[in-house]
């Protein structure tokens, strides 16, 4: 069952034995900061969720990625000649330079590769021709991004519901650590890590059919 931020805060307070903010070492705002820390850690740990689709304009060879981008797992380009999205090969900058040391000066064509060149930048190769640039959002990516922080009481983590119960153990760990209660801190971080390990497989599996053998 999905949980709201207010419910997760209440769970944390139950873990640390401080059910009301007025009689607590920690404000709800501080607990929310730690809850968002846990949220980001879970997203990165399970790696494949949530999958984010982004559409980008293309004005040159270089493309500025969304600032929340962690990974780009699939990239496609809308081919203006066919009207179809075609998958791009994602390669490293080292591979591109080995292929073409002067990649910045290629003749403009339909790009076939996408290369990450910085934390929030990527390059298309070959350079996109004018008909590619003329399209509204010809580049589409699928990948992992940092989640939008939870802030309102009714906000819900963009994660499978079975992972929501785990979130509260991380801020409880931080709270006990700050109080120098190492026994309780160890208990809470163990519950967080073991819970994440136990739920990771089922949360990312999607379907048991994906594990079936298939003849090529």
């Amino acid at each position: 069952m999905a949980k709201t931020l207010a419910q997760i805060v209440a769970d944390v307070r139950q873990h640390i034995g401080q059910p009301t903010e007025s009689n607590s070492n920690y404000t709800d705002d501080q607990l929310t900061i730690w809850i968002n820390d846990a949220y980001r850690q879970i997203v990165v740990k399970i790696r494949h969720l949530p999958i984010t689709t982004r559409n980008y304009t293309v004005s040159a060879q270089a493309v500025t990625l969304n600032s929340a981008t962690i990974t780009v797992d699939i990239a496609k380009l809308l081919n203006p000649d066919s009207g179809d999205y075609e998958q791009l090969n994602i390669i490293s900058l080292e591979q591109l330079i080995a292929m073409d040391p002067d990649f910045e000066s290629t003749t403009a064509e339909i790009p076939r590769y996408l290369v990450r060149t910085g934390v929030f930048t990527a390059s298309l190769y070959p350079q996109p021709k004018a008909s590619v640039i003329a399209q509204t959002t010809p580049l589409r990516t699928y990948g992992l991004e940092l989640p939008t922080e939870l802030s309102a009481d009714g906000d819900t983590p963009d994660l499978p519901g079975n992972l929501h119960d785990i979130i509260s153990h991380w801020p409880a760990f931080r709270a006990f650590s700050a109080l120098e209660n190492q026994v309780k801190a160890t208990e809470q971080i163990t519950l967080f890590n073991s819970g994440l390990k136990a739920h990771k497989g089922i949360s990312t599996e999607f379907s048991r059919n994906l594990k079936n053998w298939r003849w090529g």
Side-chain angles (χ1 to χ4, degrees), residues 2-5 39 150 152-159 164:
K3 290 194 172 185
T4 64
L5 173 60
Y39 185 14
L150 307 174
D153 284 348
D155 288 350
T156 300
D158 189 15
L159 291 169
H164 293 192

Side-chain angles (χ1 to χ4, degrees), residues 131-142:
S131 57
V132 173
I133 294 173
Q135 299 177 109
T136 305
T137 51
L139 177 62
R140 177 171 294 172
T141 65
Y142 303 85

Side-chain angles (χ1 to χ4, degrees), residues 9-10 12-24 28 31:
V9 168
V12 177
R13 292 202 171 282
Q14 288 297 318
H15 294 327
I16 65 177
Q18 298 180 7
T20 59
E21 182 179 21
S22 60
N23 190 27
S24 173
D28 286 351
L31 295 183

Side-chain angles (χ1 to χ4, degrees), residues 115-135:
V115 183
R116 195 167 196 168
T117 53
V119 178
F120 303 122
T121 57
S123 284
L124 293 163
Y125 178 83
Q127 294 190 55
K129 62 182 185 179
S131 57
V132 173
I133 294 173
Q135 299 177 109

Side-chain angles (χ1 to χ4, degrees), residues 12-89:
V12 177
R13 292 202 171 282
Q14 288 297 318
H15 294 327
I16 65 177
Q18 298 180 7
T20 59
E21 182 179 21
S22 60
N23 190 27
S24 173
N25 296 91
Y26 307 104
T27 63
D28 286 351
D29 287 344
Q30 180 59 66
L31 295 183
T32 297
I33 291 171
W34 288 336
I35 286 168
N36 280 304
D37 288 346
Y39 185 14
R40 286 189 294 272
Q41 287 201 48
I42 291 172
V43 166
V44 172
K45 185 68 175 180
I46 63 176
R47 174 63 176 84
H48 298 293
L49 286 174
I51 299 168
T52 302
T53 303
R54 286 282 177 188
N55 293 313
Y56 293 97
T57 58
V58 172
S59 58
Q61 185 173 31
V63 177
T64 300
L65 302 174
N66 184 274
S67 60
T69 299
I70 301 175
T71 67
V72 173
D73 299 313
I74 299 172
K76 300 191 299 184
L77 190 79
L78 184 58
N79 187 327
D81 299 335
S82 66
D84 296 330
Y85 274 101
E86 298 176 355
Q87 188 165 344
L88 297 171
N89 294 309

